Amino acid sequence: MLLEVRGVSKRFGGLQATRDVSLALNAGEIRGLIGPNGAGKTTLANLITGIYAPDSGEIRLRERRIDGARPSAIAHRGLLRTFQNTRLFGNLSARENLLVTIYAWCGLAAAARMRDEAERRAAHLLQLTRLDAVAELPARALSGGQRALLQLASGFMHPELALYVLDEPFAGINPVFVETILELLEHHRKHRGVAYLVVSHEMEIMRRICDRVAVMIEGAIFLEGSLEEIVADEAVIDAYLGRI
Amino acid sequence: MPISAGSEALRLDGVVSGYEPGVDVVRGASLRALAGAITIVIGPNGAGKSTLLRTIFGFLAPRAGTITSGDFELGGLPPHRIKALGIGYIPQQINIFPSLSVEENLKMGAWTLRGRRATIAERLDAVYDIFPALAEKRNHRSSSLSGGQARMLSVAREMMTQPQIILVDEPTAGLAPSVVPQVYAILTQARTATNAAILLVDQNVEGALEIADYVYVLDLGRVRADGPIAEFSLERTRELIRASLRG
Amino acid sequence: MKTVALGAAAVLLLATLPGVANPSLLHLLTITFYYVVLATSWNLLAGMTGQFSLATQTFAAIGAYTTGLTVYYLHVPIWAGILAAVAVSLLCGFVLGVLVLRMRTIYLAIATWAFAETVHISLGAAYNLTRGELGLSVPPLFGSLEPAPYFEVFLILAALATLTAWSIARSPLGSFMRAIKDDELRAESVGIDTVRVKIFVFTLTSGMTGLAGAFYAHYVAILSPNIADFSVIGTIITMVIVGGIGTVAAPLIGAPIVETLGALLSRYGEWDLAIFAAIVIVLMRTSTGGIVEAGRRLLSRLRQAQTT
Amino acid sequence: MALGITFIYSIVRLINWAMGAFYMVGSYLQFILVTQVFGVDRWWLAVPCSVALVFVLGALLEPILIRPMFAGNVERKDEYATVVTIALLLFMTAVASGISGPYQRTPGSNLGTIVLGPLPVSGARFAALVVALVALGLFYLFIKRTWLGMALRAAADSRTGVQIAGVDLARIDQFAFGGGVALAALAGALLAPVFLVFPTNGAMTTTKGFEIIIIGGLGSIPGALAGGLLLGVVESLGTVLIAPQYQNAYGFLLVLLILLVRPVGLFGKRLREV
């Protein structure tokens, strides 16, 4: 088992953001996470990646507890994430944005040794994402689609990437970029066994890529299954109608 | 600017807007809201419904297209000017001032009427009549309210100015089921009592359909379907949702 | 490599200056080099890492007073005093960094302000120890106050500081620092231990400043609390902003401009600071790239105006 | 002073590093008004005038210096606010010493020494305390009882919320900035006879203000009051029990202690920034 989330709850003041969420992922799996607005999807992503510490419950990555650990420590173990509103290091060049991931993983002491390897990986990813023409531009000068692509690509620089949490990776992105993103996901899944937890409302894409989908409603996992099973479930449609 | 029933209160033509440069969330939406009617906008997550309301209220400037109310072009005006034109906005997040008392929160809602003591007292009484729970706690800090009461307060606050156009974003999210009908009752009351045009974005599609007069279906920032309520039976809506979930 | 060679050539060329220049120019340049070190360390911290310290001058004072006091009271050799100065400023930087850098960025500025003013006032108040405003007499480094050798020392210090900043900026550490400045949460999510990087940079720059302060003490010979005056950090910030915040060259451009202007305006009282502050405000509102960038923009605008 | 810093921070969301300069301007205005216009006996008339003038000065400066921060054309808001207000501090201090020179002046006081129980207290100090309490009372009433005060409190809760209510946020920011610096000027005017009038006389008070804010917790008004009290007690205890010349260092040691045991301050909220 790659990721195990067991009975995780988080409360913000009066709002129960997630309640008793359990979720398990195997290596190489793509799991979709859908649900109405405010269902707690982003909160769950934040809990898994260490931005929040859960109030109760535990999270394990390859059997080892990661709940309560700092995001940098979790990232070090191969669990990375993207942010819904693309976040990049705006004043670093596109190439540097990629390099940072690998240096953060190996540490400064080993950075010099990793330099050639890092540059090679970066060049490869820049080529795959067709960002090589803008490689030396500061990231803030890139277009919205290019930025989203770069954010995603930066995670693939991690040499031991095991699980990649993607928060709305396709929102507002030009279809051409979407295809590139999907190619990247598939490539790293096939060759490295990377697993993905994808939060998205782009159902057409989710249907294409996800093995299974989890529906979150009111902070809890309501149902898990294939997208067909979920669409066939009257209770899910009720939930989307607002009938809880 | 009195608007007679059925006249056009708000009109959007080809509105484009978004937060990040280069990423449009609303991509050319056109719709209108009539006075004395509830117009609902439904659609899947990320369709741009909330962004649409934020754009109308001036938090975002439209990148293209026009937003007009009567003879006024609203695009590019700051929120306080739009409020002064008689447009109210009830945002998705519970919108109260926790360190103020319940009554002070309501008074803040009447900011544009400040100084008109009699009017404010009258409106306060009216609001307390509708929400006895708020009347009971009028001098408490609003941070002591439950989630449902806080939601009620943020709706009630916008009623203080009796706006001609009300933009409502998910008014029932997080409310106890027993309170939901009450919130809808207030909206229908505002429609008839003050002849307001109500533009409602709601996740509680079923509940919203019951009070709506006209329906727009928004998907990926554009209007996919629209029509009077008669054309949107529950069955058809379920099918629409199923189709959009299917992708 | 080309940049290093060019820099080395410039340093060698400058090193021959005492043969031809008069003492007052040498003094001016010596002080400029001192400020290059201070501005470089502030720029590493604030400009590249986004951590606003307001205590750079204070670490210089800590360095200066550490060597001054140990040499004065314990009669240790000067080099031991300077070593002690570096050790004490590193330690102070580390402790303050550990306490404050876990917090939101703004706390560093508030805490360093309080630290700076407390040290400044305490230096004056601890009259028995420091002789307060009267000044602590510190033995000069080279036996005499003849400016030429000091010029060379501070030239080397400035060159070393710039070299340090330059190699950090090009190293992975430099990209971590700029990443933290751009988006700390994302830096953490990518796997950078942001707290450690921030503490490291804060400690390093504290030591660097302490070293410069220690040499400065043995140059001015009479040490007073003025070394920790708030106007010093104002001058440092002005230099970096004028030179273009966050760039390695900022102190090299900013320090000579500000020092020279200051010297020219000194006979009119403190108006120079007012003028600098006004320049900073104008630059912040128009171009954070500093005076070079602002000039370049102005030129291109003029050129555009000509062609149309 | 800490109240002024907190007041501006909670509404405009920035630390105004130039508070000491407005304190200084307040003390100079007091000095000028007392020596040139009102005379020593009517010093209490000069106080509100000085404060009002500084309020106007702050309200005029805000749109020029601070507002660009919210107009969206400033890339790094914190960096901008910090550098600009520090530059403003240097500018005002330098202009003051350019005009008046570094001399220490005093507006004089018509109040002799008062004996309070066993302690002799200078009349000016006592008057400063009384007037400060009265002013805080008025400030409290203003904040609690007026429409504008309510809007200010509401803006501290939610900047979006007040815009939805139809409040012109730019005006609120302008008023809050003016009000905050006026509080600094009040301290400056009242303490002018005690701590004298010179270009950098605001530094110490600003430092105390920042220490109080770390002790009490950033953005908390009760924190500011409690922090002020605690700082005062610790400093006097240190002065009496250890040695008077390090009076100012005790406060900072308290700050370090607070940072060690409760980094967010006594009244600060524990919040992990996202």
Side-chain angles (χ1 to χ4, degrees), chain B residues 94 96 102 131-134 136-137 142 144-156 174-176 179:
Chain B
I94 289 175
I96 60 168
V102 169
F131 300 100
L134 295 183
E136 250 170 60
K137 293 204 160 190
S142 61
S144 69
L145 297 181
S146 72
Q149 289 169 328
R151 168 73 63 182
M152 247 188 242
L153 178 57
S154 58
V155 174
L175 274 191
V179 204

Side-chain angles (χ1 to χ4, degrees), chain A residues 23-168:
Chain A
L23 191 73
L25 247 88
N26 285 312
E29 196 179 342
I30 303 184
R31 175 73 49 88
L33 188 59
I34 63 171
N37 277 340
K41 293 165 294 182
T42 297
T43 304
L44 183 59
N46 285 337
L47 286 166
I48 293 174
T49 53
I51 288 172
Y52 304 139
D55 297 334
S56 60
E58 53 179 66
I59 304 171
R60 286 169 190 272
L61 184 70
R62 294 202 196 97
E63 314 299 326
R64 286 173 65 190
R65 290 279 292 261
I66 56 167
D67 48 274
R70 295 252 315 270
S72 55
I74 292 174
H76 199 81
R77 297 198 197 161
L79 203 173
L80 289 182
R81 58 100 44 96
T82 63
F83 292 90
Q84 183 170 0
N85 298 315
T86 310
R87 296 177 85 140
L88 286 167
F89 306 122
N91 293 304
L92 266 60
S93 72
R95 198 171 52 86
E96 285 173 305
N97 264 283
L98 296 177
L99 293 176
V100 160
T101 310
I102 212 165
Y103 292 141
W105 170 77
C106 70
L108 291 172
R113 250 188 305 119
M114 291 294 286
R115 188 153 220 150
D116 291 340
E117 164 78 8
E119 293 283 359
R120 206 174 46 72
R121 275 168 179 270
H124 180 64
L125 273 167
L126 285 167
Q127 199 191 353
L128 274 184
T129 51
R130 292 167 203 92
L131 292 172
D132 28 12
V134 294
E136 300 308 323
L137 287 184
R140 65 184 141 79
L142 270 48
S143 77
Q146 288 174 324
R147 287 165 51 80
L149 207 49
L150 180 62
Q151 186 189 216
L152 182 85
S154 74
F156 290 122
M157 289 293 289
H158 194 296
E160 288 178 3
L161 179 64
L163 174 61
Y164 206 176
V165 176
L166 310 176
D167 196 354
E168 301 286 3

Side-chain angles (χ1 to χ4, degrees), chain B residues 44-122:
Chain B
N45 280 345
K49 296 167 295 187
S50 296
T51 311
L52 186 75
L53 296 193
R54 291 179 61 81
T55 309
I56 299 172
F57 199 69
F59 282 115
L60 290 170
R63 290 173 182 165
T66 55
I67 304 170
T68 45
S69 169
D71 299 330
F72 292 96
E73 166 63 42
L74 304 183
L77 291 185
H80 69 271
R81 296 278 309 280
I82 289 177
K83 173 81 180 183
L85 288 171
I87 299 176
Y89 171 49
I90 302 172
Q92 190 179 348
Q93 294 80 20
I94 289 175
N95 173 38
I96 60 168
F97 303 115
S99 65
L100 271 55
S101 73
V102 169
E103 184 147 315
E104 284 176 328
N105 264 282
L106 292 171
K107 280 185 174 168
M108 275 309 293
W111 172 262
T112 49
L113 306 172
R114 63 191 180 283
R116 290 161 58 186
R117 275 163 183 259
T119 319
I120 291 174
E122 219 174 82

Side-chain angles (χ1 to χ4, degrees), chain A residues 51 70-73 75-76 80-81 83 87-92 96-97 100-101 103-104 108 111 115 151 154, chain C residues 169-173 175-176 178-197:
Chain A
I51 288 172
R70 295 252 315 270
S72 55
H76 199 81
L80 289 182
R81 58 100 44 96
F83 292 90
R87 296 177 85 140
L88 286 167
F89 306 122
N91 293 304
L92 266 60
E96 285 173 305
N97 264 283
V100 160
T101 310
Y103 292 141
L108 291 172
R115 188 153 220 150
Q151 186 189 216
S154 74
Chain C
R170 289 162 42 98
S171 75
L173 174 63
S175 43
F176 288 0
R178 287 184 296 142
I180 290 171
K181 181 181 179 181
D182 275 355
D183 188 336
E184 199 168 333
L185 178 69
R186 173 156 161 81
E188 182 73 29
S189 295
V190 161
I192 300 172
D193 189 338
T194 53
V195 175
R196 241 175 85 188
V197 173

